[in-house]
Amino acid sequence: MENTGYDHISDGTRTLANTLSSHLGLNKALEFCRDNQWHGVLAALEEIHSLTDGDS
């Protein structure tokens, strides 16, 4: 299994990131998490962004 650098992110944090992305869109979710300093969720959103090549 390839180490993506996101191994420290919990399943719950990934779920929250997916929910935010689904409701707000990826770019707005990234902005929201940056503004509110939700570092763990921001890392999960950046993981999503890297996996989707920013297509959202």
Side-chain angles (χ1 to χ4, degrees):
M1 182 174 188
E2 182 180 333
N3 182 347
T4 61
Y6 299 102
D7 298 335
H8 64 283
I9 301 170
S10 71
D11 291 340
T13 300
R14 282 192 175 96
T15 299
L16 179 55
N18 280 318
T19 301
L20 282 172
S21 180
S22 194
H23 286 291
L24 301 175
L26 183 56
N27 289 330
K28 288 286 186 188
L30 284 163
E31 179 182 341
F32 179 83
C33 289
R34 277 189 201 106
D35 290 348
N36 290 286
Q37 298 183 12
W38 289 7
H39 302 292
V41 181
L42 182 58
L45 288 166
E46 290 170 346
E47 176 186 42
I48 293 168
H49 186 266
S50 73
L51 295 173
T52 61
D53 292 325
D55 290 338
S56 293

